[in-house]
Structures are given as structure tokens and as C-alpha cells.
Amino acid sequence: MTHLKICGIKRAETLAQLKELEVDYVGLVFAPSKRKVDAQTAGHLLAAVPGHPPAVGVFVNPSMEELEEVLSKAPLAVIQLHGQETPQFCQQVRERFAIPVWKALAVGGEADAAQAIQSYRGIVSAFLFDTYDPSQAGGTGKKFSWEQIPTLQAACEEADCIIAGGIHAENVGELMGQYQVGIVDVSSGVETDGEKDAEKIKTLVERVKAHEQHSNNYASRA
């Protein structure tokens, strides 16, 4: 089964729509970005929509103090680390806050993402693979070479494998059809002029669910 995360939420009406559509995860960005929210805003946003999907906080090279501040105001379900955080730091975060930690790894740069997984195995509960960009840690709207997905999935072993980067309603069916992806992560793919677009969100969710239903029907007939 493929789960869906919509990242970069800034408005309560968007969060309410994602709750209604039963999206699996929502992402709040606390790192430098046009989608950034502060701890207090995030807390108010989540409080405005009771029963919202589990919230994933996205950070880039945060300090423990920054994480402490955000978590004191916003009830995050997951901490996603998108920078150069070490395995030791990820371990400390998991132990201190007692919630799952996801580690993002860039695909397409000089570093070998599949090899980098080794040092984080057993510490983080999921790996997020996003397109390498020297100027920003994520949210580029660019896809990496999906032919690498099987190698990355094999390296993840028991950890969840999250695919991000350049995914939208027009290509999510291709992604799900070719690869059994545990979690699909979309941000810019449901935006218009840098803001979340309700129609694009609705279309993406419908296509993900339709593909899931088709796959389930095929499996039941097999």
C-alpha cells in the first residue's frame, strides 16, 4: 500500500482539506524555505484542525534547542531531518523526543545515497530520497532518475522508503505502476504560483487512490 504525504502546509484550509481527503501525512517546514512556518504558527495551525493527519516536521541541521522549542508548541508525529545530520544526532533526537525520525538523502549528487543508508540503519524509521540540488535541501520540484528506486529500496531493508522530488498528478501513476513505493511525498507538485492548490491536491489524491484500488482489484483476481 502506498501512503501519501503532502508537504509545505501553511494554511488551515489546506490542512482541513487534507484531513477530509484522508491524506496519510502532512509536512510542516521549519527550515529556510518559502514554505517555512515558525513554531507558534505551526501550533496554531495544527490546533485549528483537530484530527488532522500526522504532522511531520521538516528540519535542516537543527539544534536540539530548536527541536525542543518546536515540539513544545506543535504536536509533531515525526521529525524529518533534511540536512547533514549524523547518525549519532539522529539517535539522540529519537531518544530525546521518543518519536520516529526520518532521514532525507539526496539522489544525484556526488554522495551515494544507497551507501549512506548503511550508517543510519536501525536508527531512523524511514529514508526519504529527494533530488540533489546544490542550492537547497529539498522542494526543488525536480525528479531524480527513478531507475535508481529498486537499489534504494533494497538498501532500506526494513525501513520505509519515501520518494520525493518532481512528483505530481500527471506522473504519480507512472511512479506507482513501475515501483512499489511505500510513501510518496509531494510539495511543489500541488502548487500554483508557490501556493498549495486545492484542485491539484484533489486530483493527486484521487489518482493515488484510484491506482491503489486498481492494484487491489488486480491482486484479488490474481
Side-chain angles (χ1 to χ4, degrees), residues 116-219:
I117 290 170
Q118 310 300 326
S119 56
Y120 294 93
R121 186 176 289 128
I123 297 173
V124 303
S125 57
F127 292 97
L128 183 147
F129 300 103
D130 202 351
T131 308
Y132 172 77
D133 188 304
S135 63
Q136 61 189 89
T140 65
K142 302 172 186 175
K143 60 176 281 195
F144 63 85
S145 174
W146 287 347
E147 289 78 9
Q148 299 182 61
I149 290 177
T151 300
L152 297 171
Q153 289 175 322
C156 285
E157 293 188 353
E158 307 212 351
D160 286 326
C161 181
I162 307 167
I163 304 301
I167 302 169
H168 46 73
E170 284 66 43
N171 65 9
V172 72
E174 176 190 351
L175 173 64
M176 295 175 65
Q178 292 183 349
Y179 309 100
Q180 293 186 331
V181 179
I183 303 175
V184 173
D185 190 330
V186 180
S187 185
S188 62
V190 288
E191 292 179 348
T192 299
D193 297 329
E195 297 293 335
K196 291 295 182 283
D197 184 313
E199 282 302 312
K200 287 185 177 180
I201 290 173
K202 182 172 180 287
T203 301
L204 176 79
V205 173
E206 286 174 347
R207 292 189 181 177
V208 169
K209 291 185 175 181
H211 195 279
E212 276 293 302
Q213 185 62 46
H214 174 77
S215 298
N216 291 339
N217 291 342
Y218 180 83

Side-chain angles (χ1 to χ4, degrees), residues 6-176:
I6 304 290
C7 199
I9 307 307
K10 298 189 295 183
R11 303 181 188 281
E13 54 265 34
T14 305
L15 184 58
Q17 180 191 20
L18 298 179
K19 173 187 174 182
E20 181 181 351
L21 293 172
E22 299 182 339
V23 168
D24 300 289
Y25 298 97
V26 297
L28 301 175
V29 178
F30 298 97
S33 165
K34 62 186 178 183
R35 305 178 183 93
K36 182 178 181 178
V37 293
D38 59 33
Q40 186 170 3
T41 300
H44 291 324
L45 176 61
L46 295 175
V49 186
H52 58 77
V56 180
V58 180
F59 301 86
V60 175
N61 301 321
S63 64
M64 282 292 180
E65 291 71 25
E66 179 185 350
L67 294 173
E68 192 84 58
E69 178 190 2
V70 172
L71 284 161
S72 70
K73 297 176 180 176
L76 300 178
V78 178
I79 292 174
Q80 179 179 312
L81 298 175
H82 228 288
Q84 289 76 48
E85 301 86 3
T86 64
Q88 293 75 19
F89 183 80
C90 294
Q91 177 80 22
Q92 291 169 5
V93 170
R94 190 185 73 172
E95 292 175 352
R96 182 161 176 177
F97 301 108
I99 61 176
V101 174
W102 294 355
K103 183 69 184 82
L105 297 172
V107 181
E110 293 181 4
D112 184 335
Q115 186 173 359
I117 290 170
Q118 310 300 326
S119 56
Y120 294 93
R121 186 176 289 128
I123 297 173
V124 303
S125 57
F127 292 97
L128 183 147
F129 300 103
D130 202 351
T131 308
Y132 172 77
D133 188 304
S135 63
Q136 61 189 89
T140 65
K142 302 172 186 175
K143 60 176 281 195
F144 63 85
S145 174
W146 287 347
E147 289 78 9
Q148 299 182 61
I149 290 177
T151 300
L152 297 171
Q153 289 175 322
C156 285
E157 293 188 353
E158 307 212 351
D160 286 326
C161 181
I162 307 167
I163 304 301
I167 302 169
H168 46 73
E170 284 66 43
N171 65 9
V172 72
E174 176 190 351
L175 173 64
M176 295 175 65

